[in-house]
Amino acid sequence: MKGDPLTSGFEQVFGGAPDAVADAPGRVNLLGEHTDYNDGFVLPIAISQRTRVAMRRRSAPGFALHAQGQGDTVHFAFDAPPGQHFASYVYGCLVLARSRGADIPGLQIHVDSDVPMGVGLSSSAALEVATLRCLRQLLGLSFDDVAVAQLAQRAEIEHAGVNCGIMDQMASSLADTSRALLLDTRSLERRMVDLPRGTAVLVIDSGVARTLAGSGYNERRAQCEEAARLLGVASLREVDDVQRLASLPPLLQRRARHVVTENARVLQAVACSTGRAFGELMNASHASLRDDYEVSTPELDLLVSLLQQQPAVHGARLTGAGFGGACVALCEAGGLQQAAANVVAQYNAAGHRGQVLVPPVAP
């Protein structure tokens, strides 16, 4: 650990070396948006940017949490939750690990991350999974990677106020950067899926920030639950024919149609042998998110349109919950850099502030 920036940062703040370090990646979702909380199918892939957590036992009770870039060190205890939102993710993980029988001592905790925040790349899931991995290492806990994801999801729901599905945490805990993770969010059955030969993933930030907990995310989830109730099914996963949605009120019919067709797109994508076929599904996904689910913005629509016009781009869509954030595209690997430069230049010439997030741009 000597010479590692995380260890060095920990030593600068807390005056000694950490007892344990761990990390976890962000993720980008290629297909399967807003399907995870409907027990559906998703297809995320990990990105190279990661969140890193270091911990050391302390003799005093309670917790001291320092996040690189945040400035202040936050102090809290099990009976005195932190007031800062970012700290609530860590607090939730500690509470839930204790609920599973972990004997958690007082801790000094240092967090460093290069996962972009607020753009749909699951910076919160990376923080949760990295925190739980570090606890697992520090205390010799028996949680497997699926249990880590499940605890991380509960931490986000119960302590950060985001009624999220399991996709982000499963992707951060189990995915890698070379293959996509096909995940059935109902059974948690999963397998790794190769991308079409010769392709690579591009992610561009629209420059429009979003706050997930304050957005329409929870509203969309409630609408899906109401649609399922009216259809007499446990979740929209049970519906595989859009004709069954005809009895729903128009708004709920549109929401449910997105979920049903998006599940179908994920399963079709797994069988795609060409980047072009996969890209067509991504294009259809964006249209559905824009028109039926209504989570896009004019800026996201423009960015997707510019991406789709590039010869090296097979398909593009918004990624994450929407309401701002980033877009993902599947590209010919050899043409990715030029396509990215063209799109960012055109998008920013229209008065916006886009930037490439994946692959990371060297400083």
Side-chain angles (χ1 to χ4, degrees), residues 166-178:
I166 192 70
M167 174 184 65
D168 293 351
Q169 292 79 13
M170 285 288 284
S172 186
S173 187
L174 293 159
D176 64 43
T177 58
S178 61

Side-chain angles (χ1 to χ4, degrees), residues 26-34 42-45 47 118-122 167-168 201-206 208 210 212 217 262 282 285-286 289-290 295-297 300-301 303-304 307 316-330 357-358:
R27 69 95 187 101
V28 63
N29 193 27
L30 301 177
L31 278 167
E33 216 66 77
H34 291 280
V42 294
L43 194 64
I45 190 168
I47 60 175
V119 295
L121 298 181
S122 296
M167 174 184 65
D168 293 351
V201 174
L202 169 66
V203 181
I204 299 179
D205 178 21
S206 69
V208 178
R210 59 166 181 80
L212 192 58
Y217 179 93
E262 187 78 348
M282 296 177 74
S285 174
H286 183 78
L289 288 160
R290 179 192 64 211
V295 294
S296 191
T297 66
L300 290 172
D301 291 340
L303 191 50
V304 166
L307 283 162
R317 55 185 286 278
L318 70 84
T319 188
F323 311 105
C327 295
V328 60
L330 188 71
L357 300 178
V358 178

Side-chain angles (χ1 to χ4, degrees), residues 105-127:
L107 294 171
Q108 295 167 330
I109 307 169
H110 188 273
V111 177
D112 190 12
S113 180
D114 60 359
V115 180
M117 298 177 64
V119 295
L121 298 181
S122 296
S123 59
S124 59
L127 174 58

Side-chain angles (χ1 to χ4, degrees), residues 9-69:
F10 188 98
E11 292 173 343
Q12 290 173 10
V13 174
F14 295 116
D19 296 327
V21 297
D23 62 12
R27 69 95 187 101
V28 63
N29 193 27
L30 301 177
L31 278 167
E33 216 66 77
H34 291 280
T35 53
D36 61 340
Y37 54 80
N38 289 291
D39 288 344
F41 299 95
V42 294
L43 194 64
I45 190 168
I47 60 175
S48 60
Q49 293 97 322
R50 306 180 77 85
T51 294
R52 297 163 290 276
V53 174
M55 294 180 180
R56 183 174 67 178
R57 294 176 178 86
R58 56 185 283 189
S59 56
F63 310 101
L65 170 63
H66 186 89
Q68 192 74 24

